[in-house]
Coordinates of all heavy atoms in Angstrom, one line a residue:
C347 N -2.4 -13.1 -3.9 CA -2.7 -14.1 -4.9 C -4.1 -14.6 -4.7 O -4.9 -14.0 -3.9 CB -1.7 -15.3 -4.6 SG -2.0 -16.1 -3.0
A348 N -4.5 -15.7 -5.4 CA -5.9 -16.1 -5.3 C -6.3 -16.5 -3.9 O -7.5 -16.4 -3.5 CB -6.1 -17.3 -6.3
V349 N -5.4 -16.9 -3.1 CA -5.7 -17.4 -1.7 C -6.0 -16.2 -0.8 O -6.9 -16.3 0.1 CB -4.5 -18.1 -1.1 CG1 -4.8 -18.6 0.3 CG2 -4.1 -19.3 -2.0
H354 N 2.1 -11.4 -1.3 CA 3.4 -11.9 -1.6 C 4.4 -10.8 -1.9 O 4.2 -10.0 -2.9 CB 3.4 -12.9 -2.8 CG 2.8 -14.2 -2.5 ND1 3.4 -15.2 -1.8 CD2 1.6 -14.7 -2.8 CE1 2.6 -16.2 -1.6 NE2 1.5 -16.0 -2.3
C409 N 2.4 -21.0 0.9 CA 1.1 -20.6 0.5 C 0.4 -21.6 -0.4 O 1.1 -22.3 -1.2 CB 1.2 -19.2 -0.2 SG -0.4 -18.5 -0.7
D410 N -0.9 -21.7 -0.3 CA -1.6 -22.7 -1.1 C -1.4 -22.5 -2.6 O -1.7 -23.4 -3.4 CB -3.1 -22.7 -0.8 CG -3.3 -23.4 0.5 OD1 -2.4 -24.1 1.0 OD2 -4.5 -23.3 1.1
C411 N -1.1 -21.3 -3.0 CA -0.9 -21.0 -4.4 C 0.3 -21.6 -5.0 O 0.5 -21.6 -6.2 CB -0.9 -19.5 -4.7 SG 0.6 -18.6 -4.1
G412 N 1.3 -22.0 -4.2 CA 2.5 -22.6 -4.7 C 3.7 -21.6 -4.7 O 4.8 -22.0 -4.9
R413 N 3.4 -20.3 -4.4 CA 4.5 -19.4 -4.4 C 5.3 -19.5 -3.1 O 4.7 -19.8 -2.0 CB 4.0 -17.9 -4.5 CG 3.5 -17.6 -5.9 CD 2.9 -16.2 -6.0 NE 2.4 -16.0 -7.4 CZ 1.2 -16.3 -7.8 NH1 0.4 -16.9 -6.9 NH2 0.8 -16.1 -9.0
R417 N 4.8 -13.6 2.7 CA 3.5 -12.9 2.7 C 3.5 -11.8 3.7 O 3.9 -12.0 4.9 CB 2.4 -13.8 2.9 CG 2.0 -14.7 1.6 CD 1.1 -15.8 2.0 NE 1.7 -16.8 2.8 CZ 1.2 -17.2 4.0 NH1 0.0 -16.9 4.3 NH2 1.8 -18.1 4.7
Ligands
LIG250 ZN1 -0.1 -17.3 -2.5

Side-chain angles (χ1 to χ4, degrees):
C347 64
V349 181
H354 286 288
C409 182
D410 284 347
C411 72
R413 291 178 181 83
R417 282 167 294 132

